[in-house]
Amino acid sequence: MSVVKKQPVSIIKLKNMKENKDPITMVTAYDYPTAALVEQAGVDMILVGDSLGNVVLGYDSTLPVTVDDMVYHTRAARRGAPHTFIVADMPFMTYHSTVAETLNDVRRLMQEGHANAVKMEGGAEITLMVDACVKAGVPVLGHIGLTPQSVHQLGGYRIQGKTKEDADRLLQDALALERAGAFGIVLELVTDQVAAYISERLSIPTIGIGAGAGCDGQVLVFHDIVRYSPDYREKRFVKTYADIGTTIRESIQSYVQDVKTRSFPAEANSFRAEDDVVDHLYGPGKVEVR
């Protein structure tokens, strides 16, 4: 498969893609090489998600991720994907205080991290901050349904939209985010029918993850797509396309074996000195020069 060369999308193009029923693709990336590969594959958008807490930093949730973490990883992803629209997650509790504090953290993600947009989890309760960011010229991607930063309040990783009340709440949250100026909304672990209905009611695109085919686009975590994990766990809403975790582990095991048996480095991996240098070091004729 050849490398795809493209121009970055804009929030206007994303809205046009929804209107034209052109599915939007989004993949997470947290460093230079991953982002470069994602851009070369032709993905529309990159999400530098706070999921890096789980898959890169080794935490058991996204809650410990800081603004410094997000700036560092977003900047690395930008170097790898200079021509892709990059969205950076706002970490836990960085948009639940004052507008001034929120805008300062947003400024860091945009100025220091070089993001094109930020993402915030929550519905009607965060519209004040969404509105403030949009008025400051910052595109905001919403995120409702299963919101990992609120997983303890939600009672775990539970499917959303299973009751009439829950469906109504999700719709109202989506509409509130649209009114506040969000350019799109991630729907996570929402029942297919509810996600499709919300997508139909909005003029802005929805990006689904575990929310069915009725969304305007899809996002998956890079590490899930390619099983890049030492202890990968199957997820129903994920489709994996490779198993590089096993490939990496087996490759390193082969390297260890080659070193232990002295089959690496071989002559093909080495550099030989001239005969006179060898004679100078060991004495004339002391070492056979091949």
Side-chain angles (χ1 to χ4, degrees):
M1 224 178 256
S2 60
V3 173
V4 177
K5 294 185 178 180
K6 61 181 178 59
Q7 293 296 317
V9 299
S10 65
I11 59 175
I12 300 300
K13 183 175 180 179
L14 291 169
K15 193 169 184 179
N16 290 338
M17 291 174 74
K18 174 186 176 75
E19 294 171 354
N20 296 330
K21 300 189 182 305
D22 179 9
I24 299 163
T25 56
M26 190 179 203
V27 173
T28 66
Y30 315 101
D31 56 31
Y32 168 84
T34 304
L37 291 170
V38 170
E39 176 166 291
Q40 290 171 9
V43 171
D44 294 313
M45 291 195 291
I46 284 175
L47 171 63
V48 184
D50 59 0
S51 49
L52 71 89
N54 303 89
V55 299
V56 175
L57 301 181
Y59 298 129
D60 60 3
S61 75
T62 64
L63 303 189
V65 176
T66 67
V67 174
D68 285 342
D69 292 332
M70 293 305 306
V71 168
Y72 178 88
H73 286 275
T74 303
R75 189 165 57 226
R78 170 56 71 201
R79 288 194 290 268
H83 305 298
T84 300
F85 191 93
I86 293 181
V87 181
D89 257 335
M90 291 286 288
F92 177 65
M93 293 298 291
T94 57
Y95 46 100
H96 294 83
S97 184
T98 66
V99 169
E101 289 175 324
T102 297
L103 290 178
N104 184 59
D105 289 335
V106 169
R107 176 195 61 77
R108 292 197 60 201
L109 289 172
M110 303 292 284
Q111 276 191 332
E112 300 174 36
H114 306 293
N116 296 106
V118 298
K119 180 168 75 65
M120 299 180 182
E121 295 182 9
E125 73 279 5
I126 67 163
T127 52
L128 174 65
M129 298 305 181
V130 173
D131 177 71
C133 290
V134 172
K135 286 179 177 175
V138 177
V140 178
L141 180 65
H143 183 159
I144 61 174
L146 187 282
T147 47
Q149 292 178 11
S150 305
V151 66
H152 297 308
Q153 183 185 40
L154 293 172
Y157 294 91
R158 304 161 65 93
I159 307 299
Q160 307 294 300
K162 298 181 73 172
T163 67
K164 292 182 288 185
E165 294 77 15
D166 202 26
D168 288 340
R169 176 187 60 82
L170 288 168
L171 175 61
Q172 293 309 311
D173 279 342
L175 292 171
L177 289 169
E178 180 180 46
R179 288 193 297 269
F183 73 86
I185 300 175
V186 171
L187 302 177
E188 182 169 357
L189 289 187
V190 175
T191 55
D192 292 10
Q193 297 87 343
V194 172
Y197 183 73
I198 291 173
S199 300
E200 292 170 2
R201 291 288 306 273
L202 297 177
S203 64
I204 57 176
T206 58
I207 310 294
I209 177 167
C215 296
D216 301 302
Q218 300 293 327
V219 59
L220 281 179
V221 172
F222 170 83
H223 293 64
D224 287 337
I225 294 174
V226 297
R227 292 196 183 208
Y228 183 20
S229 171
D231 52 356
Y232 185 77
R233 288 179 292 177
E234 296 282 352
K235 302 175 183 69
R236 177 175 174 177
F237 60 90
V238 169
K239 180 177 179 180
T240 59
Y241 293 81
D243 184 0
I244 66 169
T246 298
T247 299
I248 290 172
R249 182 172 55 252
E250 291 178 348
S251 299
I252 296 172
Q253 287 172 338
S254 296
Y255 160 73
V256 170
Q257 180 66 19
D258 281 358
V259 172
K260 294 292 186 182
T261 60
R262 297 189 180 278
S263 58
F264 176 84
E267 185 174 354
N269 311 116
S270 304
F271 305 93
R272 301 198 62 80
E274 297 294 334
D275 294 1
D276 62 335
V277 176
V278 176
D279 289 343
H280 170 74
L281 295 172
Y282 293 96
K286 294 294 182 63
V287 175
E288 180 182 356
V289 180
R290 298 192 299 274

